[in-house]
Amino acid sequence: MDIDKMTSGHGTMDHTKMQHGSGHSMDMSGPGHHAMMIADFKKRFYVVLALTVPVMLLSMQIQQWLHLAISFAGSPYLLFALASVVFVYGGWPFLTGWLSEMKAKNPGMMTLIGFAVTVAYLYSSATVFGLKGMDFFWELDTLILIMLLGHWIEMKSVAGASKELELLVQLMPDEAHMVMPDMVHDVKTDTLKANDIILVKPGEKVAADGIILEGESYLNESMLTGESKPVQKVKGDKVIAGSINGNGSFKVTVSHAAKDSYLSQVVKLVDDAQKSKSKTQLLADTAAKWLTVIALLTGMTAFLYWYLTGQTLAFAMERMVTVIVICCPHALGLAVPLVVAKSTALSAKHGLLIKNRTAFENSRKITTMVFDKTGTLTIGKFEVSKIVSLQKALKENEIIRLASALEQQSEHPIATGILQKVKDLKIPVPKAENFKAISGQGIEATVEGKKVLVVSPGYLKENKIRTPDGFTANVTETVVFLIIDKELAGYIALSDEIRPESAEAITTLKQENIKSVLLTGDNSKVAASVSNTLGMDSFIAEVLPHQKLEKIKELQSKGGFVAMTGDGVNDAPALAQADIGIAVGSGSDIAAETAGIVLVNSNPKDIVSLILFGKATYRKMVQNLAWATCYNVIALPLAAGVLYNQGIVLSPAAGAVLMTVSTVVVAINASMLKVKT
């Protein structure tokens, strides 16, 4: 898995192309490759550092400052030779980067550095071979030294920003214990395929997504879903590759190959999000490109001004080089990508999967938060609380038996509740044929020659079927009706508890001045009860899936910036219509949703975390952009020499130090981003 093709900030060598704001590209085709590049900069830095002492001691300017007199036959040529090694070996990453940018017709930071060191080197070399003036080989040396150090530090910062994603990748174990007929055999994880059986021993990581065939244990899924408590898993339960096993051991029937695993999808999703560009990123890109042009024009203007007003060629060259170096749009180019790298990887670690960068950054604008009820604000685990027969010939057990025939085809929480009741009563589930879903209202099928429907109260209302005399349902109950051969036969009431975290989530939204609206297909009494208990602003009940889209439009027409949470299947049109669609509880089927953001758990507190994290991420981007812009506004005139008459003038090396410091400030600020849970 290529996890390092992430938006990065440094334009060093032309290897695999990573774009960032200042227009330079860089390839990082894996963590190992990235580590090699860091090591390469480190080695070049130390070689140049070793050559810095003799270069400085042989330089005329340094000798004047230190009152030294080191001169011998050929000393200028030795200085030229040492400086040439520094220029070629130390400057190589910048020179090749410059060439790549020129080929791509996309000048950026490498163009500026390459141009600056080349001008300094050519001018200084000319002074050795007869041009009148003083060389600045020592300034060239220290400039390259500081640029190498800056890139080395910055690359380590970028590696730090993406380490959460690397940790996710490392979750996948290399080997699995494959169960053969005669023995257990260790195989490479990437060779596993659907229906293979693997053994997971105590303390090991689960090697593949699958279903427990035998045994049970508690699994730690915190690095995958953000759920901190270990989750009990028994026979028939799904397990996710990368989760950590507790003290039990169990066998798993593998669901699919490693490349299709939940973890692989998460890594791909994060990778895609980091490579995608939002409006903030495009703004930074534009600013960085303009800064490149401004740096070159200002540098050349400074050169002409100082040279034409009587200063030496060396001084005029020095001003130009300093302006160009100090205005490298490094900090500006890194301002957004570093925060992107950090935020997408960090959110994935907390079960918040960002598919659309713009949607995530826009979460700060949310004014109305629309919640689906079942499985989001409520636990989503329905338990049968009442079975009522409306025909004397039918017993309660027959009502639940026929209903279970239809519900075995469904994964809805109501179906799970009915099937659990049948299992508890030890009733065999009959076979259903000609199965058909009635959109948003129930299901129908043929069972033992009878046409059976399991439907919502909304179906009865729409088809003008009168509810039975004496029908009552508890305000918190959800009811489904059984119709056999067009005759109302009975009903089943199920209860669903409100999540303990829901009230806290709604309170936090209120504090953030965000309205909370409940949108549900359930009856008005249940909706009102849930809404009032949680202190929500309003509720909309008995809504069919296609009507949810209209309700979202209504809220938008009132000027609201609307986010909606739903399960991403029935709610797909509404999620697409909302300004921000958030799919919840979609498990390992994360790629098929229309939503811009996917929450692995259905916990409403995660939705609040997402909004607060979106705001924090945007703040970091703005802080970084503000810092990078202000730094350039102040540094550029100083580099050009506007305060020269007041005795304040920056050398190219000092310019390089300031540029490096500005880049490191941006990197440190990005690394301080955290998810509040």
Side-chain angles (χ1 to χ4, degrees):
M1 277 176 272
D2 275 359
I3 69 148
D4 261 271
K5 285 182 184 166
M6 303 167 52
T7 316
S8 154
H10 32 83
T12 42
M13 305 176 193
D14 180 29
H15 293 293
T16 348
K17 317 263 181 225
M18 280 180 50
Q19 290 297 326
H20 97 57
S22 57
H24 47 277
S25 63
M26 172 177 152
D27 179 354
M28 292 156 48
S29 45
H33 193 80
H34 195 181
M36 280 169 59
M37 293 184 74
I38 293 173
D40 180 69
F41 270 88
K42 182 180 175 181
K43 186 170 76 172
R44 288 177 195 272
F45 169 76
Y46 280 120
V47 170
V48 173
L49 182 63
L51 294 171
T52 299
V53 176
V55 166
M56 293 185 82
L57 288 175
L58 289 170
S59 291
M60 195 75 71
Q61 181 79 62
I62 300 294
Q63 288 184 28
Q64 285 177 9
W65 287 348
L66 299 178
H67 305 294
L68 294 174
I70 302 170
S71 184
F72 50 86
S75 61
Y77 300 107
L78 177 60
L79 176 60
F80 166 71
L82 292 170
S84 296
V85 173
V86 169
F87 173 67
V88 175
Y89 181 72
W92 187 253
F94 312 114
L95 298 171
T96 52
W98 179 16
L99 184 64
S100 297
E101 287 182 356
M102 288 298 96
K103 278 183 184 170
K105 294 179 182 170
N106 192 16
M109 202 197 73
M110 292 295 107
T111 300
L112 296 181
I113 300 172
F115 179 73
V117 297
T118 303
V119 166
Y121 176 72
L122 293 175
Y123 168 76
S124 299
S125 301
T127 64
V128 175
F129 296 100
L131 181 71
K132 195 177 176 191
M134 189 181 285
D135 70 80
F136 47 88
F137 278 132
W138 75 272
E139 294 202 290
L140 169 70
D141 182 298
T142 50
L143 172 58
I144 288 175
L145 183 73
I146 291 161
M147 292 307 299
L148 287 169
L149 177 65
H151 270 64
W152 174 23
I153 292 169
E154 180 210 315
M155 288 176 80
K156 287 182 84 169
S157 299
V158 171
S162 62
K163 73 176 180 290
E164 281 85 7
L165 186 55
E166 290 189 27
L167 285 171
L168 278 176
V169 173
Q170 288 162 15
L171 278 178
M172 188 69 88
D174 291 331
E175 292 191 334
H177 311 302
M178 190 164 165
V179 179
M180 306 284 199
D182 54 340
M183 62 180 284
V184 175
H185 185 59
D186 285 354
V187 297
K188 290 286 180 191
T189 302
D190 54 17
T191 63
L192 293 174
K193 55 188 188 298
N195 298 320
D196 283 346
I197 296 170
I198 57 170
L199 174 67
V200 182
K201 296 177 183 176
E204 289 186 338
K205 290 172 184 170
V206 178
D209 290 356
I211 293 166
I212 294 183
L213 179 67
E214 188 182 303
E216 61 180 80
S217 188
Y218 279 86
L219 266 63
N220 181 345
E221 298 178 340
S222 60
M223 272 295 284
L224 299 155
T225 65
E227 176 57 63
S228 55
K229 293 178 195 162
V231 183
Q232 186 179 19
K233 299 285 182 177
V234 297
K235 184 179 176 180
D237 284 349
K238 288 180 182 177
V239 291
I240 305 172
S243 46
I244 302 164
N245 186 18
N247 296 326
S249 75
F250 53 90
K251 289 178 184 175
V252 174
T253 305
V254 175
S255 299
H256 38 234
K259 67 179 172 59
D260 299 318
S261 73
Y262 168 78
L263 188 58
S264 299
Q265 287 189 59
V266 169
V267 171
K268 184 180 182 301
L269 209 56
V270 175
D271 186 24
D272 289 347
Q274 286 174 343
K275 285 189 285 192
S276 69
K277 293 194 176 186
S278 64
K279 287 174 185 172
T280 318
Q281 170 84 56
L282 294 170
L283 172 72
D285 286 2
T286 307
K289 282 188 176 160
W290 274 107
L291 188 57
T292 301
V293 174
I294 290 165
L296 287 167
L297 290 176
T298 309
M300 288 170 188
T301 304
F303 170 78
L304 291 170
Y305 173 81
W306 289 113
Y307 188 60
L308 296 174
T309 54
Q311 285 289 351
T312 62
L313 181 61
F315 183 85
M317 283 277 190
E318 191 181 77
R319 288 306 90 224
M320 178 170 74
V321 169
T322 308
V323 166
I324 288 171
V325 168
I326 213 165
C327 283
C328 282
H330 223 188
L332 191 57
L334 269 175
V336 174
L338 265 183
V339 178
V340 168
K342 182 77 178 175
S343 66
T344 42
L346 200 58
S347 54
K349 190 178 165 185
H350 285 79
L352 316 174
L353 304 180
I354 299 161
K355 294 176 69 182
N356 182 313
R357 286 289 324 163
T358 303
F360 174 58
E361 285 171 34
N362 282 344
S363 61
R364 72 187 193 283
K365 299 180 188 172
I366 294 170
T367 59
T368 306
M369 186 75 234
V370 178
F371 288 92
D372 184 33
K373 178 180 72 73
T374 306
T376 306
L377 294 173
T378 61
I379 289 171
K381 190 174 180 183
F382 281 91
E383 291 182 356
V384 173
S385 52
K386 198 188 293 177
I387 306 167
V388 176
S389 172
L390 299 172
Q391 293 181 6
K392 282 183 182 175
L394 283 175
K395 294 259 188 296
E396 281 82 1
N397 281 11
E398 184 64 6
I399 298 289
I400 194 98
R401 186 181 82 89
L402 291 171
S404 70
L406 276 68
E407 298 294 3
Q408 67 185 321
Q409 303 279 347
S410 171
E411 288 185 7
H412 192 278
I414 287 176
T416 309
I418 289 172
L419 290 168
Q420 185 59 49
K421 186 69 176 174
V422 166
K423 193 176 173 185
D424 294 344
L425 294 170
K426 295 182 177 157
I427 297 170
V429 179
K431 193 179 172 188
E433 294 170 334
N434 307 321
F435 178 86
K436 194 171 115 189
I438 308 163
S439 181
Q441 294 183 323
I443 41 180
E444 66 173 87
T446 306
V447 184
E448 297 168 348
K450 301 169 188 157
K451 188 181 177 185
V452 180
L453 284 75
V454 176
V455 295
S456 68
Y459 178 88
L460 267 60
K461 203 171 179 181
E462 196 168 299
N463 289 275
K464 298 184 172 56
I465 299 171
R466 196 165 62 86
T467 49
D469 296 332
F471 167 71
T472 56
N474 189 302
V475 79
T476 57
E477 286 178 335
T478 295
V479 176
V480 290
F481 290 90
L482 186 77
I483 297 172
I484 304 171
D485 292 332
K486 299 184 181 177
E487 291 286 326
L488 196 57
Y491 62 88
I492 301 164
L494 301 99
S495 300
D496 183 17
E497 282 179 60
I498 293 174
R499 280 179 177 272
E501 309 93 347
S502 296
E504 193 183 327
I506 300 300
T507 303
T508 310
L509 288 176
K510 269 192 166 60
Q511 289 164 359
E512 294 289 319
N513 294 318
I514 297 169
K515 286 181 183 172
S516 52
V517 177
L518 176 63
L519 185 64
T520 178
D522 219 330
N523 68 66
S524 296
K525 285 182 181 176
V526 173
S529 171
V530 172
S531 178
N532 294 335
T533 304
L534 295 175
M536 298 178 78
D537 292 284
S538 61
F539 69 88
I540 305 164
E542 296 176 28
V543 185
L544 295 173
H546 68 274
Q547 293 172 324
K548 286 186 178 181
L549 181 141
E550 298 305 320
K551 298 297 177 187
I552 297 292
K553 278 186 182 174
E554 272 178 43
L555 291 167
Q556 287 171 326
S557 68
K558 292 172 188 169
F561 193 88
V562 181
M564 181 188 168
T565 69
D567 63 14
V569 182
N570 288 342
D571 302 323
L575 287 172
Q577 175 61 38
D579 295 295
I580 299 174
I582 303 169
V584 293
S586 47
S588 57
D589 191 24
I590 60 173
E593 311 297 348
T594 53
I597 296 159
V598 180
L599 302 188
V600 177
N601 297 314
S602 303
N603 191 336
K605 276 179 75 178
D606 286 350
I607 295 162
V608 175
S609 291
L610 176 81
I611 294 167
L612 297 178
F613 188 50
K615 287 184 177 183
T617 299
Y618 188 74
R619 272 197 306 275
K620 286 286 179 200
M621 287 180 180
V622 170
Q623 285 165 9
N624 276 359
L625 286 171
W627 164 260
T629 307
C630 292
Y631 151 78
N632 281 297
V633 167
I634 294 163
L636 190 145
L638 287 176
V642 293
L643 296 179
Y644 174 66
N645 294 329
Q646 283 73 38
I648 298 172
V649 67
L650 293 174
S651 68
V657 168
L658 283 174
M659 197 212 83
T660 299
V661 168
S662 76
T663 304
V664 172
V665 167
V666 161
I668 290 170
N669 190 39
S671 70
M672 289 167 73
L673 186 65
K674 285 183 174 59
V675 177
K676 286 183 184 176
T677 53

